[in-house]
Amino acid sequence: MNSRTLVRALVTSVVLATGFVLAGCNSDEISLANNAKANKPIPERLISEMQQKDMDPQSPMLVRLFKQEAELEVWKQDRSGQFALLKTYPICRWSGDLGPKVREGDRQAPEGFYNITPGQMNPQSAYYLSFNMGYPNAFDKALGRTGSQLMVHGDCSSRGCYAMTDEQISEIYTLGRESFFGGQRAFQVQAYPFRMTPVNMAKHRNNPNMPFWKMIKEGYDHFEVTRQEPKVEFCENKYVFDPAAPPNSSRAPVFNASAKCPAYVIPDEVADAVRQKQHQDDAKTAELIARGTPMAQRRPDIDGGMNKIFAAKIPDGSTGLSESEGPGLQTAAFARAPGTIPPTVNPPRATAALAAAEEPSVAVTSAPATRVASAAPGQSEGFFSSLARKVGFGGSSDTTATTTPARAAAPVPAKPKVIEAKGGEPPRLATTAPNTAAPKAADSKVAAAKPPLKPSVSDAAAAAPAATPGAIAGSQPVVSANSFESRFSAVR
């Protein structure tokens, strides 16, 4: 058994450490030799699950990421040759907003299709284990998008990465390693803002990223109908999925992301199945819009998201932009977290602009009445509203008129001073009271009756003893609270 372990370690070193310089979220240069973390075997329970699903441990794998649901899926190819879902991992933290990454430092986690080669695996990442997503790909570069070292890693903290717990990334890394041993040259990562369902497409119909999302949804649909990893090419600043050489062509088409598309075809059986799915999805989306499905509220003041199973374990935890349907935090609080949550993790929070509205010393004001009206004459209809009218799902309005009753407006307080936070934490309000006129007696009673704000997670962590709130019983913290934030220096 010892000789087998030694051989495995040597083979791993040859496959994954042949001169590559691998980088984690703070640019580690690594050698895989003598790295016990990277050589862990696949857990027995996963082996058993693969056997039940007719999968081989070294069969090809594929990963899908969903921001809004805060979930990472690992798919494995079964013995029939199709991919099947092996396991869904809740994402501990992702940063930014729904939408693709555009530039260095924007905190956006990438969206799109990326290939992970052995050279992108990082067994000595400062974030336990990680793999580089390969951003920017050819499409991103063609649009002039910038960024580097975007990872899927451990430690549950993100500045443009998808962060898991150490225990989770250990399993995911091991599954990827074994797929390379089985002969897979690269595994595909598909990163989406949300599950590309008619419901979500209807809710986000007004989002300016919708043209991009419709484009990558085509790749989502290719995988859904074939259960095969879609071949991805780029031309004319767009994605192309499953292209093939035209009939009677003597050579395969050559693609360039910023050049004109070459002549290509999509196999009829794939094209027909995708076309049928898209027609059904578009009709359902149009129906949902016609029935008055409300549009999702954009929240650029919130940084990223967190799966509710983790948010429920953190004081004042919030799922941020990862709110989804189903049981809430109270239900999730009774579920066991899949791994150790570091004591230094920061849940998604609103910026000072939102906090100002919640300042207890400021008189409460209600939002003015708002109405989402139908398109004015002369304005073009949206795609889905036009489709709804054509297929007969209601009137011509692309949105449902909704009103919020107006209340008497209260005096507007002075804008509170915002103190810039250190260590990557969100800004906070100054503790000094705003310079406002003295409230009336009735207003003073209302303000005094409200309890003071709860301390922030960062304040609580600074004042807490060396215990590890949020960690699983019997576990130990991965890093000390004072050293964790310093790791962000090279993250983009």
Side-chain angles (χ1 to χ4, degrees):
M1 180 63 71
N2 291 335
S3 62
R4 181 185 298 178
T5 303
L6 178 60
V7 169
R8 175 179 287 276
L10 292 174
V11 171
T12 305
S13 300
V14 171
V15 173
L16 300 180
T18 56
F20 288 102
V21 177
L22 307 179
C25 269
N26 50 346
S27 303
D28 298 316
E29 292 184 5
I30 66 96
S31 170
L32 192 61
N34 301 320
N35 190 310
K37 294 183 297 184
N39 289 310
K40 285 185 178 180
I42 298 177
E44 288 297 327
R45 53 185 170 73
L46 269 184
I47 293 288
S48 176
E49 192 165 350
M50 281 188 273
Q51 291 174 345
Q52 295 174 13
K53 296 182 177 182
D54 203 26
M55 302 170 178
D56 293 316
Q58 294 186 342
S59 67
M61 70 176 276
L62 180 145
V63 171
R64 298 203 303 181
L65 294 157
F66 302 97
K67 288 181 177 177
Q68 180 174 281
E69 292 80 7
E71 290 180 341
L72 181 153
E73 295 177 343
V74 172
W75 295 69
K76 291 279 284 181
Q77 195 176 61
D78 61 25
R79 294 187 179 98
S80 73
Q82 290 190 317
F83 279 87
L85 181 61
L86 173 61
K87 186 172 180 178
T88 300
Y89 296 85
I91 296 175
C92 198
R93 191 72 166 89
W94 60 271
S95 62
D97 197 357
L98 300 182
K101 184 173 183 66
V102 175
R103 63 185 179 278
E104 188 88 36
D106 63 5
R107 295 185 61 87
Q108 286 291 102
E111 293 175 8
F113 288 70
Y114 301 89
N115 287 328
I116 314 302
T117 65
Q120 291 164 243
M121 305 292 280
N122 184 359
Q124 289 190 355
S125 169
Y127 293 87
Y128 193 76
L129 290 168
S130 66
F131 60 82
N132 191 319
M133 289 185 64
Y135 176 94
N137 62 19
F139 169 82
D140 301 319
K141 292 176 182 177
L143 296 181
R145 295 176 176 176
T146 58
S148 59
Q149 312 305 329
L150 281 304
M151 304 279 164
V152 176
H153 61 66
D155 263 2
C156 191
S157 185
S158 169
R159 281 193 176 183
C161 298
Y162 291 93
M164 319 300 292
T165 63
D166 292 354
E167 293 85 349
Q168 288 177 309
I169 194 62
S170 179
E171 286 189 12
I172 297 165
Y173 185 99
T174 298
L175 290 168
R177 181 199 68 205
E178 291 300 311
S179 74
F180 292 136
F181 286 153
Q184 189 176 19
R185 301 178 68 177
F187 65 86
Q188 189 175 90
V189 170
Q190 305 174 7
Y192 301 102
F194 39 72
R195 297 189 184 278
M196 312 300 277
T197 62
V199 172
N200 282 330
M201 298 300 281
K203 288 181 178 178
H204 295 277
R205 60 190 179 272
N206 67 325
N207 194 294
N209 292 302
M210 184 54 72
F212 171 73
W213 291 341
K214 288 180 181 178
M215 181 173 59
I216 63 174
K217 180 182 181 295
E218 186 172 345
Y220 177 96
D221 292 339
H222 276 241
F223 180 72
E224 287 289 308
V225 301
T226 67
R227 286 293 187 259
Q228 298 288 343
E229 177 184 302
K231 180 182 178 182
V232 180
E233 296 287 359
F234 313 97
C235 60
E236 299 179 7
N237 296 337
K238 66 180 182 180
Y239 279 84
V240 178
F241 299 100
D242 290 324
N248 304 321
S249 177
S250 59
R251 61 177 184 174
V254 178
F255 289 85
N256 184 304
S258 57
K260 183 179 180 180
C261 292
Y264 70 90
V265 297
I266 299 175
D268 289 341
E269 62 275 13
V270 176
D272 291 343
V274 170
R275 192 180 302 112
Q276 181 179 2
K277 181 182 185 304
Q278 290 177 341
H279 176 74
Q280 293 172 347
D281 287 351
D282 289 346
K284 182 63 176 177
T285 301
E287 178 185 2
L288 290 167
I289 294 174
R291 289 180 177 179
T293 298
M295 291 185 290
Q297 180 185 7
R298 297 196 66 196
R299 293 297 303 273
D301 58 316
I302 295 180
D303 177 39
M306 168 181 281
N307 191 283
K308 58 191 173 186
I309 197 170
F310 297 112
K313 305 295 187 295
I314 300 172
D316 297 326
S318 168
T319 57
L321 298 177
S322 288
E323 293 284 4
S324 58
E325 296 179 1
L329 294 184
Q330 292 181 347
T331 302
F334 295 98
R336 182 176 181 178
T340 304
I341 306 174
T344 49
V345 64
N346 286 321
R349 294 199 198 105
T351 59
L354 182 63
E358 300 172 353
E359 183 70 24
S361 61
V362 177
V364 178
T365 61
S366 59
T370 58
R371 177 179 297 271
V372 181
S374 59
Q379 290 182 324
S380 60
E381 289 183 296
F383 169 77
F384 288 120
S385 60
S386 175
L387 181 60
R389 179 172 50 79
K390 291 178 181 178
V391 298
F393 290 117
S396 60
S397 174
D398 65 337
T399 57
T400 301
T402 58
T403 58
T404 301
R407 299 178 184 177
V412 179
K415 184 176 182 180
K417 181 178 178 182
V418 177
I419 298 177
E420 200 65 32
K422 298 181 180 179
E425 294 185 357
R428 58 187 176 85
L429 292 177
T431 56
T432 56
N435 184 20
T436 58
K440 297 178 181 180
D443 295 334
S444 300
K445 293 179 180 180
V446 173
K450 297 186 67 175
L453 289 178
K454 296 181 180 179
S456 66
V457 173
S458 57
D459 295 336
T468 59
I472 303 303
S475 65
Q476 296 181 352
V478 178
V479 295
S480 64
N482 292 330
S483 65
F484 183 75
E485 294 295 340
S486 64
R487 293 182 178 180
F488 287 135
S489 58
V491 185
R492 295 157 177 84

